[in-house]
Amino acid sequence: MSDKLDIDLSAEMLINYELGKSDENFTLGTASDNTLLASTLVTQARQSLVLLTRELDPKIYDTQAFIEAVKSLALRGRRSEIRILAHYPVKAMRRGHRLLHLQKRLSSFISVKKIHKDYSEYNEAFLVADQQGYIHRQDASRFDGIANFYAPIRCRELLKTFDDIWDKSEPDPELWQLKI
């Protein structure tokens, strides 16, 4: 594994990075940094996406680029799997979050669960694409974070956390009662 170094994020630079191959850390500090990296990682994903978030961060996950990337991933093949954990999915749906509208249309590929009350104090946010690349924010209320296109060991750690929470969590019945 190569030594990690922090690299300033720019849209032009991302053209040279490939999910599953490029092993450098990106330091994120703004919503636009997160949006650009999330959309790029999901666009390059071929099979899976997991997302753990408090309120589905609309500045990141309710953007046209991100929604299109998720839709493409979901429709890429029958093995596509997108799993989302959120503390407040109903709140996001009431605000008209496009990702949840997409989930209702593509429920065979996109699953959403409300985070179990045992994890109510968990305040990290992360995204893992194809078990290879990730974005991680230690504090979900801030946009500061780290991302990497190829960090399978770190991704396994994040996926373990995700799966532990996923297994205890359930779909929010209120989410299905809301009209699109």
Side-chain angles (χ1 to χ4, degrees):
M1 175 133 63
S2 68
D3 290 332
K4 307 266 193 241
L5 69 139
D6 291 335
I7 296 175
D8 292 329
L9 181 62
S10 71
E12 305 82 46
M13 221 171 91
L14 289 181
I15 295 168
N16 299 317
Y17 288 85
E18 190 174 341
L19 181 61
K21 293 186 180 175
S22 305
D23 180 15
E24 283 101 25
N25 283 344
F26 290 89
T27 302
L28 309 176
T30 66
S32 60
D33 287 350
N34 281 270
T35 301
L36 181 59
L37 240 310
S39 298
T40 302
L41 284 168
V42 177
T43 297
Q44 292 187 23
R46 296 287 163 243
Q47 191 169 357
S48 67
L49 168 68
V50 300
L51 174 61
L52 187 146
T53 174
R54 290 196 72 76
E55 295 186 31
L56 289 162
D57 305 307
K59 290 181 179 180
I60 303 170
Y61 306 123
D62 195 12
T63 64
Q64 190 64 35
F66 188 78
I67 298 301
E68 288 302 318
V70 171
K71 182 179 177 182
S72 292
L73 175 59
L75 298 175
R76 191 158 283 129
R78 63 180 184 185
R79 293 178 49 195
S80 295
E81 180 183 46
I82 299 162
R83 297 184 297 156
I84 301 166
L85 279 169
H87 285 277
Y88 310 108
V90 170
K91 187 175 177 183
M93 181 62 129
R94 287 187 179 128
R95 288 191 313 250
H97 203 293
R98 291 178 285 178
L99 185 57
L100 294 174
H101 289 283
L102 181 64
Q103 187 275 331
K104 282 194 172 202
R105 290 195 333 260
L106 299 174
S107 60
S108 297
F109 303 102
I110 305 172
S111 302
V112 176
K113 288 186 177 182
K114 181 178 180 180
I115 293 174
H116 190 273
K117 64 183 178 180
D118 288 355
Y119 298 93
S120 63
E121 299 302 315
Y122 189 82
N123 194 36
E124 295 180 31
F126 59 84
L127 171 156
V128 177
D130 281 355
Q131 302 175 22
Q132 300 292 310
Y134 75 93
I135 296 172
H136 180 237
R137 297 183 352 246
Q138 277 297 127
D139 182 345
S141 64
R142 300 178 48 92
F143 293 113
D144 301 331
I146 300 291
N148 192 306
F149 280 76
Y150 182 65
I153 293 170
R154 181 66 180 130
C155 288
R156 277 194 296 276
E157 293 166 354
L158 293 171
L159 288 168
K160 167 84 170 86
T161 299
F162 185 92
D163 287 338
D164 289 347
I165 298 171
W166 182 266
D167 290 344
K168 282 192 94 169
S169 300
E170 296 182 358
D172 189 334
E174 287 184 63
L175 200 57
W176 289 103
Q177 294 169 7
L178 293 174
K179 301 276 190 239
I180 295 181

